[in-house]
Amino acid sequence: DAKTTQPPSMDCAEGRAANLPCNHSTISGNEYVYWYRQIHSQGPQYIIHGLKNNETNEMASLIITEDRKSSTLILPHATLRDTAVYYCIVLDPFSGNTPLVFGKGTRLSVIA
Amino acid sequence: GAVVSQHPSWVICKSGTSVKIECRSLDFQATTMFWYRQFPKQSLMLMATSNEGSKATYEQGVEKDKFLINHASLTLSTLTVTSAHPEDSSFYICSARGGWRTGELFFGEGSRLTVL
């Protein structure tokens, strides 16, 4: 079972920031927070991951709370092409052959 | 960056035939690959873990004799759907860990199987 909970859907106006929340209250000390997204009929695409510090890359920013029980993915200027299902997953990448376990994710609709 | 490639991207077959899907890591070696299945409007479901040079580990409820997995090299894993039936129609996705981003799992483009 997935260890994260996310809202099933969100809307965002084009050009505005999209803030996608994720709760992972049972995260363990060695587990990272990963975000992937899946555009219709494609394989999941890696976005960003972090352990406890906030992270930023060319796609998004990841804000992790101090207690690490929740996080927020921020797409600073959403475009129509960002419409996708976004998955928040916790994983210890160094614990051997551990796969990503997907929950239901958040379906983000970017509206013109 | 690291890339995982799947082939074919889509396939249509008759009921009772077998279909092979290939998953390749293009610029890194993957000792472990994962196979997922996704039905319409559902999330990805892990089917099995493919280990190079050894038998695959299947998730509960996945028939190992129906979904044959072979991981003969560090860059190639194959999934064969044997005696396919319409209920096997799905989107099959592979992933592999490795490459230059620590802990990152890379996914293939997916293979859509339609069994008539």
Side-chain angles (χ1 to χ4, degrees):
Chain A
D1 291 338
K3 297 189 203 177
T4 62
T5 55
Q6 300 175 250
S9 63
M10 291 182 65
D11 292 338
C12 178
E14 188 178 20
R16 303 297 294 270
N19 298 294
L20 292 89
C22 179
N23 286 324
H24 32 80
S25 59
T26 61
I27 191 170
S28 66
N30 298 326
E31 289 180 321
Y32 287 62
V33 180
Y34 285 78
W35 283 84
Y36 283 77
R37 72 180 183 184
Q38 186 179 26
I39 295 170
H40 183 62
S41 294
Q42 296 183 23
Q45 176 189 20
Y46 168 83
I47 301 174
I48 199 167
H49 75 284
L51 181 62
K52 54 183 179 181
N53 297 322
N54 298 337
E55 301 287 344
T56 295
N57 62 20
E58 63 277 6
M59 288 183 68
S61 294
L62 173 60
I63 308 299
I64 302 174
T65 57
E66 192 169 342
D67 63 6
R68 301 207 325 122
K69 292 185 177 182
S70 65
S71 61
T72 301
L73 178 74
I74 301 172
L75 307 179
H77 305 287
T79 70
L80 298 178
R81 285 178 289 185
D82 292 322
T83 293
V85 179
Y86 288 76
Y87 295 98
C88 166
I89 302 167
V90 295
L91 173 73
D92 179 356
F94 305 106
S95 64
N97 300 330
T98 307
L100 289 173
V101 176
F102 288 81
K104 296 183 178 180
T106 295
R107 183 173 297 277
L108 175 68
S109 298
V110 181
I111 303 168
Chain B
V3 176
V4 173
S5 178
Q6 279 184 244
H7 178 81
S9 56
W10 59 271
V11 58
I12 301 173
C13 71
K14 292 182 179 180
S15 184
T17 61
S18 294
V19 174
K20 180 185 286 187
I21 300 170
E22 294 184 345
C23 178
R24 295 182 184 273
S25 56
L26 296 186
D27 57 359
F28 66 99
Q29 295 181 331
T31 55
T32 302
M33 292 183 176
F34 304 100
W35 286 95
Y36 294 83
R37 178 169 54 182
Q38 186 176 34
F39 293 107
K41 298 189 176 182
Q42 294 186 20
S43 186
L44 284 80
M45 292 172 46
L46 180 67
M47 297 176 67
T49 300
S50 169
N51 300 299
E52 187 268 334
S54 64
K55 292 183 179 180
T57 303
Y58 291 82
E59 295 298 302
Q60 190 174 11
V62 178
E63 300 174 57
K64 62 180 181 180
D65 294 329
K66 181 167 186 62
F67 299 99
L68 301 179
I69 291 173
N70 182 276
H71 195 156
S73 78
L74 289 172
T75 59
L76 174 64
S77 175
T78 61
L79 169 68
T80 301
V81 183
T82 62
S83 187
H85 290 283
E87 57 265 29
D88 299 322
S89 298
S90 188
F91 193 51
Y92 292 88
I93 306 167
C94 71
S95 71
R97 174 174 291 127
W100 51 274
R101 278 186 174 164
T102 303
E104 184 177 337
L105 262 177
F106 301 98
F107 286 83
E109 311 95 325
S111 299
R112 184 164 300 283
L113 170 64
T114 301
V115 184
L116 302 177

